[in-house]
Amino acid sequence: FFHVLAQANIDWRKISLILSDERMVQVNHLASNYGMIKEALLKRLSEKNRPTVIPDMENFIEVNREEFLDETNSSIKKRFLIKHAFLGLGSDGHTASLFTGHEMTSINNDPYFYTHKQGDDYQRMTLSMDFLQAIPHITFLISGKSKYSALKAILDNNEITDKSPAHQLIDQSYGQVSILCDRKAWPV
């Protein structure tokens, strides 16, 4: 996706990419979303034509974790009106790093908060459910057979009482929600 965007004739200086979630690891770690974007997009663009990426993981230092979170939240609150979000869907129905049975809102009503997924050896920074719900346009980009069951549960919507985070976001969004998926993920 990003390597294709890198070839497009876009004035990236006018665009900000706000990651819905990030693993609190160094940029060169395989789990880093920022690192993936750096390799697939940023390195392919001229330095004079690059988007702003939030959170800026180039500035992340493990010992200043809370300060980094505060600065990231402050930068979003002061500067950004988010018009469109492109989100993924996990095979378990999670989106961003919002997982069933975990906290989905920040304590201080900040855009980002820290969370931890069982089995990970690192924390995650995620946008809150409240923040995502307020975005006017949300598009889920879903691919692969592993997402079939999660998408089917969302589309069936048969009075499910324990809805996944992605399902909750779709139901409770204040804006327009679209779903784009490939044939492997399509449950119809």
Side-chain angles (χ1 to χ4, degrees):
F1 177 71
F2 287 107
H3 65 280
V4 173
L5 288 177
Q7 298 171 4
N9 185 19
I10 296 172
D11 185 355
W12 286 102
R13 298 168 298 169
K14 296 179 180 179
I15 295 174
S16 296
L17 300 176
I18 300 173
L19 306 184
S20 62
D21 71 320
E22 178 58 297
R23 284 82 172 169
M24 303 315 293
V25 295
Q26 296 302 310
V27 173
N28 60 355
H29 192 285
L30 288 176
S32 173
N33 288 331
Y34 184 98
M36 179 271 302
I37 290 170
K38 181 178 180 180
E39 291 298 318
L41 178 67
L42 300 179
K43 284 187 174 180
R44 298 169 191 241
L45 301 173
S46 78
E47 286 192 35
K48 294 180 181 179
N49 187 33
R50 289 188 178 168
T52 299
V53 182
I54 304 291
D56 183 357
M57 295 304 289
E58 301 284 356
N59 294 321
F60 173 67
I61 301 171
E62 184 76 29
V63 294
N64 294 333
R65 183 180 303 268
E66 290 306 317
E67 184 178 317
F68 182 78
L69 178 65
D70 291 343
E71 288 174 6
T72 303
N73 279 325
S74 180
S75 70
I76 288 180
K77 288 178 185 178
K78 289 179 186 172
R79 301 187 316 187
F80 295 105
L81 172 63
I82 299 175
K83 298 176 184 174
H84 203 125
F86 294 91
L87 300 172
L89 173 70
S91 59
D92 60 355
H94 83 273
T95 191
S97 278
L98 301 173
F99 296 95
T100 302
H102 291 155
E103 190 63 44
M104 294 208 212
T105 58
S106 66
I107 295 169
N108 301 327
N109 207 25
D110 285 327
Y112 281 107
F113 67 97
Y114 288 129
T115 188
H116 187 267
K117 180 183 175 194
Q118 189 172 356
D120 286 349
D121 59 352
Y122 46 79
Q123 268 191 315
R124 295 168 178 243
M125 177 189 279
T126 186
L127 287 172
S128 71
M129 181 67 78
D130 294 335
F131 187 84
L132 291 171
Q133 287 171 337
I135 297 172
H137 301 281
I138 296 173
T139 301
F140 281 90
L141 302 174
I142 305 168
S143 65
K145 189 175 182 174
S146 66
K147 312 297 174 65
Y148 173 91
S149 295
L151 182 56
K152 183 170 178 22
I154 290 169
L155 296 177
D156 283 351
N157 203 16
N158 295 338
E159 298 179 24
I160 299 169
T161 56
D162 191 24
K163 294 182 179 180
S164 70
H167 198 164
Q168 291 176 47
L169 177 58
I170 290 167
D171 283 354
Q172 299 167 10
S173 175
Y174 304 126
Q176 177 185 358
V177 177
S178 302
I179 298 172
L180 302 176
C181 69
D182 65 8
R183 290 178 191 251
K184 291 179 182 176
W186 182 244
V188 177

